[in-house]
Every structure is written in structure tokens, then in C-alpha cells.
Amino acid sequence: MSRRGLAAVSSVLDQAASSATNILVLVLAARLSSASGFADFSMVYVTFSVLLGLNMAYVGQTVVLEKAEDRLGAVCRSGLAFTAAASAAVGAVLVVVGLALPGAGGRAFLALGLVLPLVLVQDGLRYCFSALRTPERALAADALRLACVVAALLLQPEGASAGRLVLVWGVSALPALALGLFLLRPYVRGAAADLRPYLRRGHLGQRFVVEFAVGNGSSQLAVLGLGLFATPLAVGALRGATTLFGPLNVLFNSANAFGPPVVGRASGKRGVVRLTLLTGGVLAVLGAGWGAVLYALPEGIGRQLLGDTWGAAAALLPATGAQYAVMGLGTCALLTLRVLNPKATLSLQVVFSLLSVALLLGGYVLWGVAGAAWGLAAGSALKAAAAWLRVSRVPAPAPTPAPVTTAA
């Protein structure tokens, strides 16, 4: 296998390992906790997911876009140093919030504040290895992370509190963090960290944060807000249902990461659209089929997966399956636009992500948790339809003129 092929396979496997870690953490937490305990854990984990995405947008994407080979060491060291400093500051705020909140939920936020620098810096190493074109090193660290967190959570007693589970989950990142830093050391030796670019106005990461906030973070924050003004059990049910669709998230993320170079080789707009429509159709069928398989699971197997949360989550599987089916079509529509007209995606993300939040909250007000799940599905369907409509309006690229040959 060529070096480029090995790097692509390592990147996909690393994404799979990272996604599997998130899935198994939630599955094990659901099995160990009561329904209310998993709701507290889910509130904290949604908060972590938002912070993780913000760090990826502000730091991670700017690291992987660095092209100057002689600056990669300094960029990686600076990115990790900023992540460590920023996560420590945010962690301190979470500790204060945790001390102010009563009960098990407050202790869970307190635990997140204590371990936040460990988990964010460990995740940030992935982007450094990607920029250095050594994704196999990221895979080694993330595979160790997966093994450690599963082993640590399996050792916890049934009925463990959300705070204890969060603390164990965070501390279990230490071996992977140590291995990642050891593997990175040859590339950053002698390089100096500079945090000033991250504090400057106009830093490229600020644009990426806006795109993340409207494209991904808005739905996470809406779910978190749902638990604040409604009931944390709603968060646990929604989170439990979406957790079961984790394998599809791996496919969607891989399509976004590796799709543009492949799709870009297609001939003209017609070739691009034909390829992405075919891919979107496959992903839609997989989403609907996976939802049907999960819905048909016997209750005993469902409880093996999500514990006491299974009953509430199972009722949401038709809506979540429909959401993931149309998300497959929407992902490929946005992929098409990135190839044909990259500037067309931001406005779609802003309008339809905010619309999805409104539909989620409105659905909950009218029909409870099931209404919230169907609201998310409706938002994803409208976004996919609007994206394909935008694709149809993108003019075909002008053909490259043939060279003119003149006779002597």
C-alpha cells in the first residue's frame, strides 16, 4: 500500500476509534446509571461535546491548514499550548458552576471542570498528527484512549454517580495523552510556542467557530437548553437515541473529510452530482435500515445497550432513523456545494440550523420528547432539500478552452 493510501486508511480508522470512544462512553454510562443519573451525565457530555467542537474549530482546523513545513512544529506546539491554557480557564469556570449547582448534576459539572484540560489536549493531538501527515500516530494514541476508557468504566460499580463516571472518563485519558506527547516530541523539539496569533482579531479560527456554532453547536446547545427549561430526562432520551446511530456519524465524517478530493475528480457538474446523489442515496438507505434494525431489537438487548434509558430512547428511534436518512442526503448535498461553490454553504448552515433548533423546541412544546425528535428530523429534511435546490442552481463550470495550434 502506498504512503498516501496508508495515511487515508489510518485517518479513517482514527476517526472510527474516536467515534467509538464517544459511543461506548455513553453506552457504558447508560448501563451503569439510573435514568436520572444518565440524564445528569448526558447534560455534562453535551457540554463537553460543544467545547470539543469549539476547540476543533478554533484551533484544530487552523493547525491542519498550515502548509509551511518548517513551521509545523511551532504551530503544533502553539496550538496545544493554547488548548491547555484555554481549557484550564474554562475548566475553572465549570468548577465554580459545579460548586454553585446543587445535587449530582453540580458534582458532575465540577468533575468535568477538573478533567477538561486532559481530554481536550489529548484530542488536540489528532490535528497535530494530521498536519504532520502522520495519522498512524494519532491512531495509536486514540486506540489506547479507547481501550483505557472502556476498561476504566467497566470497573465502575452499577449505580455509580454521574460525577464519578465523568471523573473516571477524564482521568482515563492520561495514558493516551502521555503516548501522544511522546510521539509528537520529535516534531516539536526546539520549537517555541506562540499564543499571540490565537488572541489576535481576525484569527482564521474565528470564522470556523461561527460555522461550527450554526452548523453543529446550535443543535447541541438546543438539546442542552431543552434540559434546562424542560427536564433532563428528555436530554437523556434524545442523547441515548442518537448514540445508537454512532456508526453512521463515522460514515458522514469520513465523507466530509475525504469526499472533496474524490468528488472533485468527476467530470463536470453532471459527474459530480451523479456521484454525490448515488452516495447520498446509499447513506439514506443505510440510515433508514439501521433505524429499522434498532427499532426491531428485543427489549432485553436494548436494555443491555442503554440500561434504564432504553425505554424512552426506543420510542424516538423512528424519528431519529428518519433524521439520519435525510442527513445522508443533506451531507452529500453540502459536499457537492463544497466542490462546486464553497461559498454557498455558510448561509444554508445558518438558516437551516437555526430552523432545526426552532423545530426541536417547538416540537417539544407541542408533543413532548417525541415532538422534539421529529422536529430535528424535519429540520434535517428541509436543510437537505434546500441544499439540493442550491446545487441545481449552481452554474456548470465553464469548459477549459482547447489550446490553439498555429501552423508555421
Side-chain angles (χ1 to χ4, degrees), residues 129-144:
F129 290 126
S130 177
L132 293 164
R133 298 181 181 86
T134 56
E136 65 278 2
R137 299 192 175 216
L139 175 59
D142 285 336
L144 179 61

Side-chain angles (χ1 to χ4, degrees), residues 242-288:
T242 55
T243 296
L244 297 173
F245 287 82
L248 292 178
N249 288 329
V250 176
L251 293 179
F252 293 165
N253 291 334
S254 297
N256 283 323
F258 302 104
V262 175
V263 172
R265 296 193 190 103
S267 58
K269 177 184 176 181
R270 181 174 296 181
V272 169
V273 172
R274 185 184 298 120
L275 180 57
T276 52
L277 264 177
L278 177 62
T279 306
V282 171
L283 291 178
V285 170
L286 285 174

Side-chain angles (χ1 to χ4, degrees), residues 7-23 52 56 123 126-127 135 138-139 142-143 146 246-258:
V9 171
S10 297
S11 296
V12 173
L13 291 176
D14 179 56
Q15 180 62 51
S18 179
S19 298
T21 300
N22 292 330
I23 295 166
L52 180 68
M56 175 272 295
D123 185 80
R126 299 170 58 208
Y127 304 100
L139 175 59
D142 285 336
L146 174 60
L248 292 178
N249 288 329
V250 176
L251 293 179
F252 293 165
N253 291 334
S254 297
N256 283 323
F258 302 104

Side-chain angles (χ1 to χ4, degrees), residues 178-392:
L179 175 62
L181 292 175
F182 174 77
L183 294 175
L184 183 67
R185 186 179 177 186
Y187 298 95
V188 300
R189 187 183 291 116
D194 184 9
L195 304 187
R196 289 173 297 178
Y198 293 98
L199 303 175
R200 260 184 225 129
R201 186 176 179 181
H203 172 60
L204 186 59
Q206 293 167 6
R207 174 182 174 84
F208 296 146
V209 163
V210 173
E211 292 190 10
F212 166 78
V214 298
N216 300 297
S218 57
S219 60
Q220 296 277 18
L221 289 172
V223 173
L224 187 62
L226 188 64
L228 293 177
F229 82 84
T231 167
L233 294 176
V235 178
L238 284 170
R239 194 68 179 179
T242 55
T243 296
L244 297 173
F245 287 82
L248 292 178
N249 288 329
V250 176
L251 293 179
F252 293 165
N253 291 334
S254 297
N256 283 323
F258 302 104
V262 175
V263 172
R265 296 193 190 103
S267 58
K269 177 184 176 181
R270 181 174 296 181
V272 169
V273 172
R274 185 184 298 120
L275 180 57
T276 52
L277 264 177
L278 177 62
T279 306
V282 171
L283 291 178
V285 170
L286 285 174
W290 186 248
V293 168
L294 291 173
Y295 191 68
L297 284 180
E299 185 176 353
I301 297 177
R303 288 190 174 277
Q304 289 271 336
L305 292 172
L306 291 180
D308 291 341
T309 306
W310 170 255
L316 306 182
L317 288 176
T320 308
Q323 179 191 359
Y324 271 82
V326 294
M327 278 174 63
L329 291 170
T331 296
C332 290
L334 292 172
L335 173 60
T336 309
L337 287 173
R338 287 192 190 99
V339 173
L340 298 177
N341 184 13
K343 294 182 180 179
T345 59
L346 182 57
S347 59
L348 283 169
Q349 294 278 31
V350 171
V351 173
F352 287 94
S353 295
L354 295 177
L355 178 61
S356 293
V357 171
L359 290 171
L360 179 148
L361 297 176
Y364 181 81
V365 170
L366 295 175
W367 298 293
V369 182
W374 281 111
L376 284 175
S380 296
L382 291 172
K383 180 191 263 188
W388 281 113
L389 180 62
R390 182 70 63 88
V391 168
S392 69

